[in-house]
Amino acid sequence: IIGMQFGSLLSGAIITETLFSWDGLGLLLVNSIQMRDYPITQACIFVIAISYVLVNLFTEILYKIVDPRMRDISVCFFWAIGVTIKLFSNFDSNQMIFDEILIQPNFSSWLGRDDYGRDIFHRLVDGFLNSFEIIIIVTFISSFFGVAIGVISGYFGGKLDQFLRYITTLFMAFP
């Protein structure tokens, strides 16, 4: 449900930021449209589209993890590859080799090196594993609070239910 509501949350952010003059992506988009600044408009729309796609991808991955009928080996496969590379590689992704700054991809450095001489492939694997850990932690924390609020609201009902529903709607309305 959260993944499906994300699109309306983005459009609500544009309206809210414009209405209250809050600095954010929504206000930047509206101002760039009014000023006919097409590169900024395209960049804002690109960021919104990419974030929408990534949230939907995360929702699909989470759905496949939670529902045993929908499980796919793709998420587990990528996670296993990342862990395997991390475990069996003795390479530190933060190690800077100043003699190899901005080298092209080769057999020892599959994606090349960045402007500090760090291996891009190993940094990508570390970033994927860190993101996966954060996704799992955030999912458990938000599920815990969501279930707790739902149980309290369902058990007591009445005015407390209305209050918690309004609070939840308030969190969904503001970015």
Side-chain angles (χ1 to χ4, degrees), residues 4-171:
M4 293 186 297
Q5 293 292 329
F6 189 72
S8 61
L9 184 66
L10 284 175
S11 62
I14 294 170
I15 295 168
T16 304
E17 290 174 6
T18 305
L19 187 65
F20 293 108
S21 296
W22 290 346
D23 288 334
L25 188 62
L27 184 63
L28 178 65
L29 177 62
V30 170
N31 288 340
S32 64
I33 290 171
Q34 289 173 347
M35 302 290 281
R36 296 181 187 219
D37 190 356
Y38 297 118
I40 298 294
T41 303
Q42 289 174 337
C44 290
I45 291 172
F46 179 74
V47 168
I48 290 171
I50 290 295
S51 62
Y52 187 76
V53 167
L54 290 177
V55 166
N56 282 325
L57 176 67
F58 168 69
T59 304
E60 288 294 323
I61 290 170
L62 184 64
Y63 184 65
K64 289 179 181 181
I65 290 172
V66 172
D67 190 359
R69 298 171 296 168
M70 302 302 289
R71 286 196 179 146
D72 190 5
I73 62 168
S74 60
V75 176
C76 297
F77 178 71
F78 285 124
W79 180 77
I81 287 176
V83 169
T84 304
I85 290 172
K86 186 73 173 168
L87 289 176
F88 292 112
S89 174
N90 58 358
F91 196 86
D92 181 18
S93 64
N94 291 322
Q95 178 185 9
M96 293 187 237
I97 302 174
F98 294 111
D99 295 339
E100 298 181 7
I101 291 177
L102 296 175
I103 64 166
Q104 299 295 321
N106 55 36
F107 288 111
S108 65
S109 180
W110 291 358
L111 297 177
R113 301 261 178 182
D114 64 3
D115 47 350
Y116 293 109
R118 299 173 297 196
D119 188 53
I120 295 173
F121 175 74
H122 286 91
R123 291 183 62 78
L124 185 68
V125 170
D126 281 348
F128 172 75
L129 292 175
N130 290 340
S131 297
F132 197 77
E133 290 172 10
I134 290 169
I135 287 169
I136 296 298
I137 291 169
V138 167
T139 301
F140 282 126
I141 290 172
S142 62
S143 297
F144 173 76
F145 284 112
V147 167
I149 290 171
V151 167
I152 290 170
S153 177
Y155 182 75
F156 290 107
K159 293 195 185 276
L160 182 63
D161 180 32
Q162 284 181 336
F163 175 73
L164 291 175
R165 187 176 38 166
Y166 290 140
I167 295 296
T168 305
T169 305
L170 180 72
F171 278 111

